[in-house]
Amino acid sequence: MPRPPAFRPQSRSAAGAIRAARRTAAAVLALGLVAWSGGAAAHTPSQPAPALVQPPLLSPAGALAPGTVTRQGGAPATAATSPAPVPAQRVLLRGDAATPALTAYWFVPREGTTTRALPVVVALHGCGGLLSPQDSMATGGGTDASALLQQRYREYAEWLTARGYAVLMPDSFSARGKPHGTCTEPIDNRGVDDRTRRADALAALRWLGSQPGVDPARIVLLGWSNGAQAVLATVDASRPWPAGTPQVERAVAFYPGCKRAVRQHDYRLRAPVLLMIGGADDWTPATRCAMLQSAVLARQPNARFRLEIYPGAHHGFDGTSELHVRRDVPAGSNSGGVRKARAVTVGGDAVARAAALAQLDSWLASPDP
């Protein structure tokens, strides 16, 4: 396979998507309209979906909400015409001797969406945890457990199942007594590190390997922030791969911290990676991820490592929260018992979000990412 061109910190495709999205978004958002493009058919390597006419445009308040969907060539969906959200089933993932059994949330496309073996996305949450803060200690009643999850993860599950993917979301924190996450804990003092979360991802892959109706050759690993670091750790080819564990066919990392991988001098990829990050991210700086891409391509000239940097976007740009400053993020490990914190900017960016989701749509549909 020919070597892909090395991507600059801001790739041409990212810059083009941003420019196109800004021109269209300015006109559409001024009228207060929200549009969304995409297909209900599964995105598979064997049958790629048609190219998007334009990036899906999202309002700052309703990024992935089912009621804002516009199907290709159709009118905007309304509450009366939009399908109900796909429910989630809670399942148990059994790990090895050092890994506790984890609760995971399993979403399956509605009956009739596809008759083929299902492609799957394993989605790894960020340091804030998977569960909604008000529901993180609840047991969850009824048959639909998705109400327990944070809005971002519910909406991504809906977006992915609409494209024919099953979605598995492991909860790495609740079983370890940290349902509210680890964002405010010094990184070096966290009990849940990259090795731990890699073990959780492998447990999820093993569970998928035993499920009927799942295509084990079409598994996507996707993560956000701390979960994106776990994605990078999982697809690190310098680490052994457990026998009997399905391989990851491709991986997606939203704004990971790339510092540890950069420092690892033998870091290599075992699967194609799409890494998306904001150019103004002051929590997990994009420059380190650009360094990682350069290092990987120097070691693996044929590696498929796509880096998209969205100018002006901050950490969490694909979310819907207002841009705000967090002052509770540790600056590092405790030093002499004194905890130091730093301020970081977090929040959604409607234009970068639209461009990133269009890129994700294309990446999942591509037969050769």
Side-chain angles (χ1 to χ4, degrees), residues 150-229:
Q150 293 184 33
Q151 179 181 347
R152 173 198 301 272
Y153 305 123
R154 295 198 309 269
E155 291 177 344
Y156 265 98
E158 184 70 14
W159 190 85
L160 290 163
T161 54
R163 283 151 175 78
Y165 285 89
V167 181
L168 182 65
M169 293 186 171
D171 181 355
S172 287
F173 291 165
S174 294
R176 297 182 171 96
K178 301 176 182 287
H180 298 292
T182 61
C183 295
T184 60
E185 297 179 13
I187 293 176
D188 293 341
N189 294 358
R190 292 176 183 175
V192 185
D193 58 15
D194 289 351
R195 289 182 300 175
T196 304
R197 299 213 62 190
R198 182 178 191 266
D200 293 350
L202 294 174
L205 294 172
R206 286 193 296 272
W207 184 87
L208 287 173
S210 67
Q211 301 306 305
V214 167
D215 187 346
R218 292 157 59 205
I219 298 177
V220 181
L221 189 61
L222 182 151
W224 298 266
S225 193
N226 183 268
Q229 289 176 223

Side-chain angles (χ1 to χ4, degrees), residues 127-303:
C127 69
L130 180 64
L131 305 183
S132 176
Q134 60 267 32
D135 295 324
S136 59
M137 299 305 293
T139 58
T143 58
D144 181 11
S146 64
L148 296 175
L149 308 186
Q150 293 184 33
Q151 179 181 347
R152 173 198 301 272
Y153 305 123
R154 295 198 309 269
E155 291 177 344
Y156 265 98
E158 184 70 14
W159 190 85
L160 290 163
T161 54
R163 283 151 175 78
Y165 285 89
V167 181
L168 182 65
M169 293 186 171
D171 181 355
S172 287
F173 291 165
S174 294
R176 297 182 171 96
K178 301 176 182 287
H180 298 292
T182 61
C183 295
T184 60
E185 297 179 13
I187 293 176
D188 293 341
N189 294 358
R190 292 176 183 175
V192 185
D193 58 15
D194 289 351
R195 289 182 300 175
T196 304
R197 299 213 62 190
R198 182 178 191 266
D200 293 350
L202 294 174
L205 294 172
R206 286 193 296 272
W207 184 87
L208 287 173
S210 67
Q211 301 306 305
V214 167
D215 187 346
R218 292 157 59 205
I219 298 177
V220 181
L221 189 61
L222 182 151
W224 298 266
S225 193
N226 183 268
Q229 289 176 223
V231 168
L232 296 180
T234 303
V235 300
D236 177 6
S238 72
R239 306 189 191 195
W241 193 260
T245 303
Q247 294 282 343
V248 173
E249 192 255 341
R250 63 186 76 190
V252 181
F254 278 98
Y255 36 87
C258 293
K259 183 177 180 179
R260 290 188 180 181
V262 167
R263 289 180 171 179
Q264 184 181 326
H265 299 303
D266 59 349
Y267 184 89
R268 303 186 308 277
L269 297 181
R270 67 168 62 250
V273 167
L274 167 64
L275 195 159
M276 293 182 282
I277 194 166
D281 195 320
D282 54 4
W283 192 343
T284 56
T287 51
R288 291 173 181 163
C289 295
M291 292 169 62
L292 177 62
Q293 185 203 38
S294 297
V296 167
L297 292 178
R299 297 180 194 119
Q300 294 175 282
N302 293 326

Side-chain angles (χ1 to χ4, degrees), residues 287-341:
T287 51
R288 291 173 181 163
C289 295
M291 292 169 62
L292 177 62
Q293 185 203 38
S294 297
V296 167
L297 292 178
R299 297 180 194 119
Q300 294 175 282
N302 293 326
R304 288 172 285 173
F305 190 147
R306 187 176 188 89
L307 174 63
E308 298 287 351
I309 298 180
Y310 299 99
H314 293 82
H315 200 80
F317 66 83
D318 63 322
T320 59
S321 66
E322 295 291 334
L323 206 62
H324 61 284
V325 175
R326 289 192 61 163
R327 303 185 184 278
D328 58 350
V329 175
S333 59
N334 288 341
S335 178
V338 178
R339 176 184 170 190
K340 298 181 179 180

Side-chain angles (χ1 to χ4, degrees), residues 97-125:
T99 305
L102 303 179
T103 298
Y105 296 79
W106 177 233
F107 298 81
V108 178
R110 295 187 179 282
E111 186 176 355
T113 301
T114 179
T115 59
R116 297 165 293 178
L118 290 170
V120 184
V121 173
V122 177
L124 306 180
H125 60 75

